[in-house]
Amino acid sequence: MSDEASPATAPSPEARPRRRGPRLSRRALLLALTGGAALAAVPPATAGTRPRRTAPLAAPVGRVDELLARLTLDEKVSLLHGAADPASLGQAGHVPGVPRLGIPPLRLADGPAGIRVRRPATALPAPVMLAASFDPGLARAYGRVIGREGRALGQDVLLSPMANLIRTPYAGRNFETFSEDPLLTADLVAEEIRGIQAEGLVATVKHFALNNQERDRTTVDVHAAEQTLHETELRAFEAAVAAGAGAVMAAYNKVDGVHATENAPLLTGILRDRWGFDGWVMSDWGAVHSTGPALAAGLDMEMPGGSRYGAALRDAVRAGRIGEAAVDRSVRRILSVRERFGLLDETPSRPARDAASGARLALRVAVAGATLLRNERGALPLTDRAVRSLAVIGPTATVPFVSGGGSAHVVPDAATSPLDAIRARAGKDASVAHAVGEDLFGRPLPPLSPAVDLEGVRVAAGATWTRTVTLTATDPDEWTFLVHYSGPRPTVTLDGTELFPVRQGITEYFVGGLLGRAPDGLHVRRTGRSLTAGPHELKITARGGPAGQLFRLRAVTGATRAADLAEAVRAARAAHSVVLFAYEDATEGQDRATLALPGHQEALIEAVTAANARTTVVLNTSSAVTMPWRERTAAVLQMYYPGQEGAAATTAVLFGDADPGGRLTQTFPAAEDRHPTAGNPRRYPGEGGVEEYGEGVHVGHRWYEAEGVVPLYPFGHGLSYTTFRYEDLTVAPGAAEGLDVTFTVRNTGRRDGVEVAQIYLGPSPDLTSLGIDQPRSALAGYRRLELAAGERRRVTVHVTARTLSSWDTARHGWVLGTGRRTVRVGSSSADPGLRLGVEVRPS
């Protein structure tokens, strides 16, 4: 079992607030910002303590045995794979029940940041923003909101959390996971699972294992050395098992030449034999490649259909190629977990949604994860003249950027725009101008011949609408064409070439959380074309489909871009201060091609900061971005994908109603060629279909330390509106061969503030002499502190024996890192902080 997750006390049902509405009053805002009554019973957990198993009690074996004895082979097989849901709620998966025996169907929903169904749900900040709080207790509360809402919205299994590390900054799902650091990820994953399952929803930790990129994710063969595997990627999965996770999702990729869904060393050798996992293993959607080998390896359920575990499995059993005992084993695992969670009852109980409580938690997480990267000459918080004369620039100032795309998309109860929130906070006497800066959704096309209005065409159900027109470009220019539509995608050709062809595979369905939909909810596709001056033929064909549809065709040109930029510059010059919102729209199914901000945003930032040096850039990005424009800015505030309360949280931090509480859980590289996977295609994205984790145990911030590479911003970095001092470091032997690291933190400023104290550990000389590779500096513990102005607090953080240990490939197990080791305490991985040498000896 893992030593890494941290227990936290969950709130009692009596502590939950009464249901109101999704909108927050000013009092509710203040409660949420200060961790009000709804969550007051969730204290911060102590990092590094041994996790408790918190799953519901084990099933009465007799009931599962009785059901198993009565099930026919066909019925058993039906429980091992997904099928179409005749009454779908819009969830990701469905397993039919067995009505004859009173076994209800099972519904499985995506939900890294809230429940993904057709109905509204609380859209929480992305997990990467939760992680920035460095608060396992908050992760427990986050899980409880998702768990309750999943049950309320008719779901039984949550396909979350994602425990894969942030290994490359290009990975398209970095926002869905937590951190580049194994310890921090393990702590937060375990606590979120405890929260989810405390509400009766089965948590599924994913993607097991080494699924750290979207590019070639279904085919890439990932190789990681034994020590690398156990010390980095597997640490959070092990913590999830210790926390009682009911299910594990096997990944798409191969591991050492074998698909993860039929990889016996992973699914049986490590997961069950070494860690004692007693839940069930399901596949990622469409990831099963065999029947017998997958079942024998330990894969229990195929999702979302039954191409391998349906008729093929039944026929193999009847023909004697697969023993029925193997089927019984998987059915027993699934039924046992379902019984533990009350999911074998014909009418399982469902709580009511509490939208107001969910909104308060969403706000609390967004404020706790808000990470202030730069703040020159006290540009933030906004006060006095900055409040009275402000320009707000950027498309995401008026279009709330709630979540990333793909499995993480949630239909929120409501989401206010940052511009509206800023204007409300600044007050009626303030001047708050807005300029879009860069148009994301296009403008009506110039006059066409013959004349036709393509700004809003309605096509009746079953009808087909078609036109051929001439578009005349006055000058050679770069055009971006956009089609907005509510039904079947219209076919649009330009000079005989289709502009919006249907893409292959999942890339057709997974689009960003921002760019994929217009503000009014229509689907959006876009493409760029270079047009010569003169006439061009446009042909549009749109079908109404079964329900009819609305569509429009728009464009952005070089001329409109120049006009938007000029408007933004004028607004910046006319204001005392500027808040510029910038974005990067990530999604499942594709990796990023660059670490630069997309589109023409860099040019926008350069122009606006040249016009007004008092410019704060607010980043709504999934992961690290490069910042060639940084030195021109006054402040940079990292807000990730902040959920439905992102506008309120951003405004609270900008105006100083709350201290920015977040710290980076991933290193921001200084350039595209200065990070652990840069310039090494074998590490990313792989060569010849093979990828190697050649960085070994030196993942994330450990690599920067080992290589002496200076990042743009280090792991753990984040500024406060006050200042802190560390004093009086001592280290003493702790329980179970661990260490107790004790120090004092003092708020030396005039404001209340948040500090995240971080403990880093140097290598063991005794392990070095054995040839065991170790990080030069590894995160060993942390503590989130809220300190009043002038307050000092004595803090003790326990460093576990597991954290002091390394994986020995000669013993195939953990070995304590003895000898004289350096303990460092500070505010980031790059902070020299306080240092002390300590002798580590076995007890």
Side-chain angles (χ1 to χ4, degrees):
M1 298 296 180
S2 169
D3 292 47
E4 302 313 325
S6 308
T9 303
S12 66
E14 292 77 19
R16 297 183 195 126
R18 291 189 300 272
R19 184 176 184 181
R20 295 178 183 170
R23 293 195 172 274
L24 295 176
S25 65
R26 184 166 181 81
R27 179 176 179 276
L29 169 65
L30 292 173
L31 278 173
L33 291 178
T34 57
L39 297 167
V42 187
T46 301
T49 56
R50 185 173 182 82
R52 301 179 306 218
R53 292 189 64 91
T54 55
L57 295 175
V61 176
R63 183 176 182 190
V64 171
D65 285 343
E66 179 188 4
L67 286 173
L68 195 57
R70 296 176 63 192
L71 287 164
T72 67
L73 176 61
D74 282 346
E75 289 168 340
K76 292 174 186 177
V77 168
S78 74
L79 295 173
L80 301 186
H81 66 84
D85 188 347
S88 176
L89 303 173
Q91 79 280 0
H94 170 259
V95 178
V98 182
R100 180 179 69 85
L101 298 179
I103 300 175
L106 198 69
R107 288 189 168 94
L108 306 89
D110 288 318
I115 303 301
R116 185 180 180 239
V117 292
R118 283 193 293 263
R119 291 172 56 191
T122 301
L124 294 164
V128 72
M129 193 169 201
L130 167 67
S133 71
F134 278 74
D135 189 344
L138 191 58
R140 168 86 70 100
Y142 185 98
R144 290 201 73 141
V145 166
I146 294 176
R148 181 184 178 92
E149 292 212 338
R151 299 293 296 138
L153 292 167
Q155 304 305 303
D156 308 301
V157 180
L158 181 75
L159 306 175
S160 188
M162 179 175 171
N164 305 105
L165 296 182
I166 296 175
R167 178 176 172 266
T168 173
Y170 298 107
R173 298 180 82 172
N174 281 348
F175 67 96
E176 285 190 56
T177 191
F178 295 86
S179 168
E180 68 187 21
D181 186 80
L183 169 64
L184 179 61
T185 304
D187 287 348
L188 299 174
V189 164
E191 286 307 308
E192 185 181 341
I193 287 171
R194 290 188 174 98
I196 292 164
Q197 297 194 158
E199 298 290 342
L201 192 69
V202 179
T204 307
V205 64
K206 64 183 187 183
H207 310 84
F208 192 63
L210 300 172
N211 183 179
N212 302 91
Q213 66 190 61
E214 293 301 281
R215 184 168 172 178
D216 302 326
R217 68 176 182 174
T218 61
T219 58
V220 67
D221 180 14
V222 184
H223 294 192
E226 182 182 334
Q227 183 189 2
T228 301
L229 187 66
H230 284 275
E231 290 193 24
T232 62
E233 175 78 358
L234 292 189
R235 196 167 185 177
F237 288 98
E238 186 180 3
V241 170
V248 169
M249 181 186 290
Y252 282 116
N253 51 280
K254 298 174 184 175
V255 177
D256 291 331
V258 180
H259 283 286
T261 51
E262 53 192 59
N263 196 301
L266 277 179
L267 302 186
T268 296
I270 292 175
L271 185 61
R272 296 193 184 277
D273 295 345
R274 178 175 288 276
W275 296 344
F277 177 64
D278 58 3
W280 91 81
V281 179
M282 72 179 74
S283 74
D284 206 336
W285 268 223
V288 184
H289 298 269
S290 66
T291 302
L295 191 67
L299 184 77
D300 302 306
M301 180 182 286
E302 178 188 9
M303 293 302 294
S307 61
R308 303 288 185 176
Y309 273 31
L313 176 56
R314 180 200 61 207
D315 293 347
V317 172
R318 287 178 176 167
R321 297 190 301 273
I322 294 175
E324 191 165 353
V327 173
D328 290 351
R329 179 184 62 186
S330 290
V331 173
R332 183 186 302 279
R333 290 168 177 166
I334 294 166
L335 292 180
S336 295
V337 175
R338 292 185 63 169
E339 175 63 13
R340 277 166 44 194
F341 284 82
L343 299 178
L344 290 180
D345 300 333
E346 289 191 64
T347 55
S349 61
R350 301 282 180 189
R353 263 198 81 213
D354 189 342
S357 178
R360 282 191 289 272
L361 189 279
L363 177 59
R364 185 182 171 198
V365 173
V367 170
T371 306
L372 184 60
L373 300 179
R374 175 179 170 86
N375 194 21
E376 297 299 300
R377 297 178 297 281
L380 293 181
L382 299 172
T383 58
D384 301 328
R385 289 183 62 197
V387 175
R388 295 193 298 272
S389 175
L390 193 61
V392 179
I393 294 172
T396 48
T398 55
V399 181
F401 200 162
V402 173
S403 64
S407 300
H409 177 71
V410 178
V411 179
D413 289 297
T416 301
S417 76
L419 178 62
D420 288 343
I422 289 171
R423 281 177 169 162
R425 177 60 179 80
K428 57 182 173 54
D429 295 330
S431 171
V432 181
H434 174 255
V436 69
E438 182 173 21
D439 187 353
L440 297 184
F441 300 105
R443 299 180 182 179
L445 294 176
L448 303 168
S449 179
V452 60
D453 183 3
L454 297 178
E455 182 55 16
V457 181
R458 294 192 178 275
V459 185
T464 299
W465 185 98
T466 186
R467 294 287 190 282
T468 300
V469 296
T470 298
L471 167 69
T472 300
T474 55
D475 298 292
D477 202 352
E478 293 294 325
W479 287 58
T480 298
F481 289 93
L482 304 95
V483 61
H484 302 201
Y485 58 99
S486 64
R489 185 185 311 166
T491 300
V492 182
T493 61
L494 176 70
D495 296 331
T497 300
E498 191 169 350
L499 289 179
F500 312 104
V502 175
R503 294 175 292 181
Q504 295 298 312
I506 57 174
T507 56
E508 171 59 27
Y509 302 101
F510 289 149
V511 292
L514 173 70
L515 300 179
R517 286 185 182 269
D520 62 357
L522 296 188
H523 302 286
V524 176
R525 294 292 187 273
R526 51 180 56 76
T527 190
R529 290 290 186 274
S530 296
L531 295 191
T532 58
H536 298 270
E537 183 186 79
L538 268 178
K539 183 175 182 180
I540 308 103
T541 301
R543 294 173 176 80
Q549 79 155 312
L550 170 70
F551 82 90
R552 52 183 169 255
L553 190 63
R554 289 181 171 182
V556 176
T557 68
T560 64
R561 279 191 290 271
D564 288 338
L565 184 64
E567 180 191 17
V569 169
R570 285 194 298 271
R573 284 178 178 154
H576 177 273
S577 296
V578 176
V579 178
L580 190 157
F581 286 82
Y583 73 91
E584 175 263 320
D585 194 17
T587 183
E588 178 180 359
Q590 60 187 37
D591 283 349
R592 302 161 67 188
T594 176
L595 302 185
L597 291 170
H600 298 79
Q601 292 183 96
E602 289 192 350
L604 173 64
I605 295 173
E606 294 282 0
V608 168
T609 52
N612 191 326
R614 293 180 295 274
T615 295
T616 293
V617 175
V618 177
L619 292 170
N620 291 128
T621 62
S622 68
S623 189
V625 295
T626 50
M627 304 181 194
W629 38 264
R630 179 183 63 160
E631 295 304 316
R632 288 181 174 268
T633 66
V636 179
L637 177 63
Q638 177 69 45
M639 289 300 295
Y640 299 103
Y641 300 156
Q644 68 181 49
E645 304 301 325
T650 303
T651 301
V653 172
L654 288 174
F655 285 81
D657 300 331
D659 202 45
R663 303 296 184 264
L664 290 180
T665 68
Q666 56 190 303
T667 308
F668 276 34
E672 299 269 1
D673 61 352
R674 297 180 68 80
H675 58 81
T677 59
N680 190 332
R682 191 74 169 181
R683 289 188 185 179
Y684 174 84
E687 283 184 321
V690 176
E691 181 180 59
E692 292 182 353
Y693 284 26
E695 68 274 21
V697 298
H698 307 285
V699 64
H701 60 92
R702 301 173 177 185
W703 178 87
Y704 289 87
E705 176 76 11
E707 299 295 324
V709 174
V710 178
L712 182 67
Y713 291 113
F715 175 90
H717 171 75
L719 304 176
S720 167
Y721 291 149
T722 187
T723 53
F724 300 94
R725 179 181 298 164
Y726 289 79
E727 301 169 333
D728 193 16
L729 172 64
T730 64
V731 183
E737 295 188 322
L739 297 176
D740 288 334
V741 180
T742 302
F743 51 93
T744 297
V745 181
R746 183 158 65 97
N747 182 341
T748 55
R750 298 181 179 180
R751 295 176 57 106
D752 299 350
V754 176
E755 174 66 330
V756 176
Q758 301 157 47
I759 297 93
Y760 293 88
L761 183 69
S764 156
D766 294 345
L767 296 186
T768 299
S769 67
L770 294 176
I772 297 175
D773 196 15
Q774 300 167 81
R776 288 183 58 185
S777 178
L779 182 70
Y782 51 90
R783 180 66 57 80
R784 180 182 178 87
L785 301 167
E786 297 181 9
L787 299 178
E791 180 183 359
R792 68 172 65 204
R793 190 177 304 169
R794 192 75 175 152
V795 177
T796 296
V797 176
H798 181 68
V799 177
T800 66
R802 169 60 64 83
T803 299
L804 292 166
S805 301
S806 293
W807 185 268
D808 185 354
T809 56
R811 305 182 191 183
H812 304 293
W814 296 96
V815 57
L816 185 67
T818 54
R820 191 158 188 82
R821 306 184 68 168
T822 300
V823 174
R824 172 169 54 92
V825 177
S827 59
S828 77
S829 63
D831 180 9
L834 304 177
R835 292 175 179 265
L836 196 64
V838 59
E839 195 74 20
V840 177
R841 292 297 177 206
S843 59

